[in-house]
Amino acid sequence: MVDPITLLIMVLAIGIGGLLVSIGVHFVPVGGAPAAMAQATGIGTGTTMLAASAGFLGLISAGLVMEEMMIGKIEYASFVAAVGDGTLFSPAGIVANIGGIAMILAAGIIGAMLMMVILGGVSNILYVYGLGVPLVSAKVKYDPITGDRQDLYVTRGTEGHGTPTVALVSAVIGGILGGFGGSLIYLVFLAGGFSVAAAAIGAIGIFFVNSVLASYNITGTIEGFHDPKFKRWPRAFVASAIASIIIGVWVAAIIYMGVA
Amino acid sequence: MSEHKDMSWNTLAAIGMIGGLLAIYIAYFVNNAMDVAYGSFIGAIGAIFAIVWGADAVRQICKYGIGTGVPSIGMLAFGMGLLTTILGLKIGDYTGIVLAGPVLALVLSLIQGAIIGYIANGVLKMKIPTMQIGMIFIAGSASLILMAFSTVMAGTFEYGAFMTDIIGTGFIAPLFILGALPILHPFNACLGPDENQKRTLTLAVESGFIVTVIFGILSIALVGLAPAAITIVLGLIAWVFGYLSYWNRVKECGVVIKDTGLLPARED
């Protein structure tokens, strides 16, 4: 039997995780089909798929570190014990094992960041050497990070092409938030007694809900934090908070009844 | 193009819910009463009912253009339906009334869909009039599809079997994506000004059966060769029928092109 305070913390942690995923999605430069044809800035696919790929790699790397702790390659006996008896998210458990939690979250963040950089970087290689287009955004005149002039290089009739510096940096920030949120949710599931497979698929389910809600808020393409659409994030914040906490309550109910 | 009236989505919802639940219960009873797994294929029939229901709901929402592509909605449906389904089945398991599980899972998913639908229209201001009911319906159909294909693969929808045989084996990953495909793909493939309900839903049935065949193959590992073979063979036969009737619908809806020949090289 898991005590109510721990359950409450778990619900909140799922809520926070979902929120981070949702905000992270707003940072990811999504260009959709136009970007695949070098007619818009961003990575040429939909938000859901991008968020999912970042989330999956985040989960894989979080799972890897988790496994290394479980088999003793990384020695952290109290963390393993806390995950085993479901006390990881009790107030005392968090204080005692903050290092372990941080390690898992860091692994998730690194995985998701890597995925975003690979997605942005490889598509840039294709844009530059395959299609011969410069990497520019049409939404801003000067790149907010490098200060490079952009409007001169935008092909007429397009919204820019490739993933320029600011969009790539934005993607990395998106990866940080998404990886953090995803691995936090994953850890809650594991601490609640779910099997590794169940924890992963549960985290992916919540990831999908939040990334789709975020992309409904964006409606189409976004370039990153310099995009005018980015101002809409507060709406996604409220939406994801409600959605994630409700899902968190379902999860807490399952944990309360005992997962096994 | 033939003139026809669309079936109302409430009718389809009723058919989907009742048909879906009935089929998985019948499969469960057949398997439990005779202590075999030969009834597993009946679950697939329930999945088809739920798929037709879900595909129509996707159609009604995406008609308005959601700006993110149709596939995202299938992932949302399964994201919403997965945990509520597990919770519903768990309550059935916890209280000892296993048969209540699927009904509870469906009800909880409908509630979850209502909340997400409210968020989409009320908070995100998507202004899609069919969003609220559509979300309720796709969450419900996702939950039924999960339980129906779980019955196909493991021969039961019980919580324990769902957690070990479906999730523990990793079969949940194809179930998540392939289960969503037949509800998101038909409208994505058929959308456009001449989209019509019959053609889209025929495609839903066709893709539902091909997915059934895949789950039939996976079920070899869980229920054994003979029950799995029934699912695979019946699924393949049904798929051929589904494919041919979809092909006919496509031809019905297609524009007739008359060959008039090339212009003569010089005027005679």
Side-chain angles (χ1 to χ4, degrees), chain B residues 38 40-42 44-45 152 206 208-220 223-242:
Chain B
Y38 293 110
S40 306
F41 77 94
I42 303 172
I45 299 168
V152 170
E206 186 255 29
F209 280 120
I210 193 80
V211 164
T212 302
V213 174
I214 297 172
F215 290 126
I217 295 169
L218 292 181
S219 75
I220 295 174
V223 292
L225 194 58
I230 299 177
T231 313
I232 298 170
V233 171
L234 289 182
L236 272 176
I237 296 171
W239 172 70
V240 171
F241 275 102

Side-chain angles (χ1 to χ4, degrees), chain A residues 1 46-49 56 189 194-195 197-199 201-202 204-206 208-210 212-221 234-236 238-240 242-243 246-247 249-251 253-254 256-260, chain B residues 61 66-73 75-76 78-84 86-88 90-91 93-95 108 111-112 115-116 118-120 123-126 131 135 159 163 167-170 172-173 176-177:
Chain A
M1 197 66 73
T47 332
T48 322
M49 309 309 151
F56 291 164
F189 274 94
F194 284 84
S195 67
I201 197 75
I204 287 167
I206 297 177
F208 271 133
V209 170
N210 284 297
V212 175
L213 280 179
S215 63
Y216 283 173
N217 190 34
I218 298 166
T219 60
T221 65
R235 290 202 305 212
V238 178
S240 287
I242 303 171
I246 299 279
I247 298 178
V249 171
W250 306 140
V251 176
I254 301 172
Y256 176 77
M257 287 185 280
V259 177
Chain B
I61 301 173
I66 44 175
T68 59
V70 181
S72 65
I73 209 160
M75 295 294 107
L76 178 61
F78 274 69
M80 291 191 291
L82 178 68
L83 287 164
T84 42
I86 296 177
L87 176 61
K90 177 71 212 181
I91 297 174
D93 179 70
Y94 187 70
T95 53
L108 285 168
I111 294 171
Q112 167 90 67
I115 296 164
I116 302 279
Y118 173 75
I119 291 171
V123 180
L124 297 178
K125 307 254 184 305
M126 290 183 74
M131 188 54 116
M135 281 291 166
Y159 174 79
M163 292 304 267
I167 295 184
T169 50
I172 187 71
F176 202 96
I177 306 291

Side-chain angles (χ1 to χ4, degrees), chain B:
Chain B
M1 207 184 297
S2 58
E3 283 296 315
H4 68 274
K5 267 194 88 172
D6 278 4
M7 266 173 114
S8 91
W9 63 347
N10 290 323
T11 316
L12 281 167
I15 296 173
M17 277 192 243
I18 296 169
L21 282 176
L22 260 184
I24 57 176
Y25 278 124
I26 292 173
Y28 182 78
F29 278 121
V30 169
N31 279 353
N32 266 26
M34 302 201 290
D35 200 20
V36 288
Y38 293 110
S40 306
F41 77 94
I42 303 172
I45 299 168
I48 301 294
F49 280 118
I51 284 169
V52 170
W53 172 30
D56 187 67
V58 167
R59 197 178 148 257
Q60 303 274 10
I61 301 173
C62 296
K63 256 186 197 166
Y64 291 86
I66 44 175
T68 59
V70 181
S72 65
I73 209 160
M75 295 294 107
L76 178 61
F78 274 69
M80 291 191 291
L82 178 68
L83 287 164
T84 42
T85 303
I86 296 177
L87 176 61
L89 297 179
K90 177 71 212 181
I91 297 174
D93 179 70
Y94 187 70
T95 53
I97 315 165
V98 178
L99 290 181
V103 176
L104 280 170
L106 178 61
V107 171
L108 285 168
S109 302
L110 295 176
I111 294 171
Q112 167 90 67
I115 296 164
I116 302 279
Y118 173 75
I119 291 171
N121 259 359
V123 180
L124 297 178
K125 307 254 184 305
M126 290 183 74
K127 295 194 183 101
I128 294 178
T130 51
M131 188 54 116
Q132 178 86 53
I133 302 174
M135 281 291 166
I136 298 177
F137 284 0
I138 59 166
S141 89
S143 169
L144 275 178
I145 293 171
L146 280 169
M147 290 185 289
F149 280 130
S150 151
T151 311
V152 170
M153 284 197 277
T156 173
F157 49 72
E158 279 169 32
Y159 174 79
F162 191 81
M163 292 304 267
T164 51
D165 292 351
I166 305 295
I167 295 184
T169 50
F171 286 174
I172 187 71
L175 180 52
F176 202 96
I177 306 291
L178 291 180
L181 265 183
I183 68 169
L184 64 86
H185 168 65
F187 187 72
N188 204 22
C190 294
L191 62 83
D194 67 338
E195 191 268 346
N196 80 50
Q197 191 191 34
K198 263 191 184 162
R199 180 159 52 104
T200 306
L201 295 189
T202 313
L203 182 55
V205 172
E206 186 255 29
S207 37
F209 280 120
I210 193 80
V211 164
T212 302
V213 174
I214 297 172
F215 290 126
I217 295 169
L218 292 181
S219 75
I220 295 174
L222 298 174
V223 292
L225 194 58
I230 299 177
T231 313
I232 298 170
V233 171
L234 289 182
L236 272 176
I237 296 171
W239 172 70
V240 171
F241 275 102
Y243 183 83
L244 291 177
S245 62
Y246 176 62
W247 183 236
N248 284 335
R249 294 252 171 268
V250 171
K251 280 201 286 194
E252 256 172 41
C253 300
V255 180
V256 180
I257 299 170
K258 284 225 167 92
D259 189 9
T260 56
L262 292 170
L263 285 173
R266 66 182 170 86
E267 281 184 43
D268 294 316

Side-chain angles (χ1 to χ4, degrees), chain A residues 165-194:
Chain A
T165 313
V166 62
L168 198 63
V169 170
S170 188
V172 174
I173 300 172
I176 295 175
L177 297 174
F180 191 110
S183 46
L184 183 62
I185 297 170
Y186 174 68
L187 201 52
V188 171
F189 274 94
L190 279 181
F194 284 84

